[in-house]
Amino acid sequence: MAHIHLTTFIKAPSKRVFDLSRSISMHKKSMAHTNETAIAGTTHGLINKGETVTWQAKHFFKIRQFTVAITQMETPLMFEDEMTRGDFKSFIHQHHFKQVDNGTIMIDIVDFESPYGKLGKAVTTLFLKRYMEKLLGKRNQLMKEYAESEKWKAILN
């Protein structure tokens, strides 16, 4: 199983960062380079506990679909999404938000396992983990840009 732990400091209130992280529109903007779009479940607004979203995007030269369910949520401290259908054997993404004096510390913890046994483990080690870290890092930088400027208002209002 692969493990990713990313920490991003954002000069904005934790509630704003929490809501941007749950925003279908923000996610689509952060993944525009993959043409990611919500095709089923919660397809707009803010996703909540018990809801699902199915994403469709192009990764590794192929159109893929990935369905996640929000399995835990403690507003505005954390939420967790878990893959219910997709290419991974398992995929769990925890989103944590800690308010500090001058902003929010956002922590992403992702644990995933590729299918295909030893071949899947090799692909994860050689390539997939770095790809996922880069994808999440890009997402987090765009969220930081939106949360720290007035751009967030176009997403959350």
Side-chain angles (χ1 to χ4, degrees):
M1 182 161 302
H3 179 78
I4 297 171
H5 184 150
L6 295 177
T7 301
T8 308
F9 174 72
I10 301 175
K11 293 180 187 176
S14 62
K15 178 73 166 101
R16 181 185 308 162
V17 179
F18 178 82
D19 286 346
L20 283 172
S21 294
R22 301 185 301 130
S23 167
I24 300 299
S25 296
M26 184 77 245
H27 185 86
K28 285 168 40 175
K29 284 187 182 302
S30 71
M31 297 294 154
H33 62 287
T34 66
N35 295 317
E36 193 151 341
T37 189
I39 61 168
T42 302
T43 59
H44 63 280
L46 303 179
I47 195 162
N48 291 294
K49 183 177 180 181
E51 295 179 344
T52 64
V53 59
T54 299
W55 297 102
Q56 183 171 286
K58 189 172 187 177
H59 294 280
F60 308 116
F61 312 107
K62 181 181 175 189
I63 300 293
R64 300 173 188 278
Q65 292 183 0
F66 183 77
T67 302
V68 296
I70 305 300
T71 55
Q72 295 183 47
M73 184 174 288
E74 189 177 335
T75 305
L77 302 174
M78 70 83 64
F79 70 95
E80 177 179 279
D81 59 81
E82 184 171 351
M83 182 195 75
T84 60
R85 189 174 55 104
D87 289 340
F88 292 99
K89 185 173 180 181
S90 66
F91 187 99
I92 298 173
H93 184 175
Q94 294 179 359
H95 308 254
H96 296 272
F97 309 88
K98 182 176 180 174
Q99 183 74 52
V100 293
D101 288 340
N102 55 348
T104 302
I105 297 171
M106 182 174 72
I107 300 168
D108 291 280
I109 299 170
V110 180
D111 291 298
F112 68 92
E113 188 173 359
S114 299
Y116 312 121
K118 290 180 182 179
L119 177 61
K121 286 180 185 180
V123 169
T124 297
T125 300
L126 295 172
F127 180 73
L128 189 56
K129 183 178 177 186
R130 283 189 297 275
Y131 178 82
M132 294 299 295
E133 287 171 336
K134 188 175 179 181
L135 201 65
L136 289 168
K138 188 172 187 171
R139 170 190 166 269
N140 290 358
Q141 286 308 305
L142 190 65
M143 272 207 336
K144 178 179 174 73
E145 176 187 324
Y146 271 69
E148 292 180 347
S149 69
E150 297 297 309
K151 290 181 177 181
W152 69 270
K153 292 178 181 179
I155 301 291
L156 297 179
N157 287 338

